[in-house]
Amino acid sequence: MLPIVLTPETARIGLIGEGEALERRRALLAGAGITPIPVLPEGDLGDLRILFVAGLPTDLSEVLAARARRAGILVNVEDVPSLCDFHVPAIVRRGDLLFSVSTRGRAPGLARRLREWLEERFGPEWEVFSAELGEARTRWRGEGASAADISVRTRKIIEEKGWLG
């Protein structure tokens, strides 16, 4: 497994599907700041890099996955691991702070429970904490601080404020 974080400004992500599954994927992408490109079953996949398929019959999902792969597009078909080039982890988002948990699609219940555990321990206040450290890092870099110095300063703030107990 290789976890990555995509930059919303450059992600070319398509979305096709129906019903609740489609809306779950749309909400996932919106939470990441991504407006997906709508795809029609027989439509052009254009210059997509990733395609999400959700809530469609298996036979149509198989056809779409095969088309995407032939075009060099990574595909995720919700709840059909055998048709997926990648899996979407369980996510906790606190502003720019992102926690993800994955079992490679093999134990989604475990990933969901760990996500809930993280949500309980890292509440909405972590969005503020993360933003504060981000602003400090930008300031320190502008002052010419080295990466090592920034790391030390970051640890010091976290410890001084008792953010991790």
Side-chain angles (χ1 to χ4, degrees):
M1 290 187 292
L2 173 66
I4 61 171
V5 177
L6 298 174
T7 304
E9 296 80 16
T10 59
R12 300 272 313 151
I13 298 176
L15 176 62
I16 183 170
E18 295 176 350
E20 291 180 28
L22 172 66
E23 293 313 313
R24 276 193 304 275
R25 287 299 183 224
R26 191 183 319 279
L28 169 80
L29 294 168
I34 295 170
T35 303
I37 298 162
V39 174
L40 299 173
E42 298 298 325
D44 181 23
L45 298 178
D47 61 348
L48 296 178
R49 298 292 176 248
I50 295 174
L51 176 64
F52 283 95
V53 180
L56 295 179
T58 302
D59 58 337
L60 180 53
S61 295
E62 288 172 347
V63 169
L64 287 163
R67 282 183 54 216
R69 284 193 186 99
R70 281 193 303 274
I73 299 167
L74 295 173
V75 64
N76 175 278
V77 179
E78 186 175 60
D79 292 332
V80 187
S82 63
L83 294 179
C84 294
D85 296 321
F86 65 95
H87 303 282
V88 177
I91 295 171
V92 175
R93 201 179 293 282
R94 300 294 186 246
D96 288 334
L97 179 61
L98 178 71
F99 296 94
S100 66
V101 178
S102 176
T103 62
R104 197 173 175 184
R106 295 180 50 113
L110 174 60
R112 180 175 37 258
R113 182 60 190 109
L114 287 169
R115 175 187 50 81
E116 292 166 351
W117 184 85
L118 287 165
E119 286 174 332
E120 293 166 8
R121 282 150 186 80
F122 296 90
E125 67 277 8
W126 280 87
E127 182 172 350
V128 175
F129 298 166
S130 176
E132 183 178 326
L133 281 174
E135 291 167 7
R137 180 178 181 267
T138 298
R139 187 175 60 256
W140 297 332
R141 286 181 66 141
E143 295 168 355
S146 69
D149 187 39
I150 290 172
S151 180
V152 168
R153 291 181 189 190
T154 298
R155 284 178 175 272
K156 183 177 178 184
I157 286 177
I158 293 168
E159 289 172 16
E160 285 175 354
K161 296 194 178 234
W163 290 345
L164 294 176

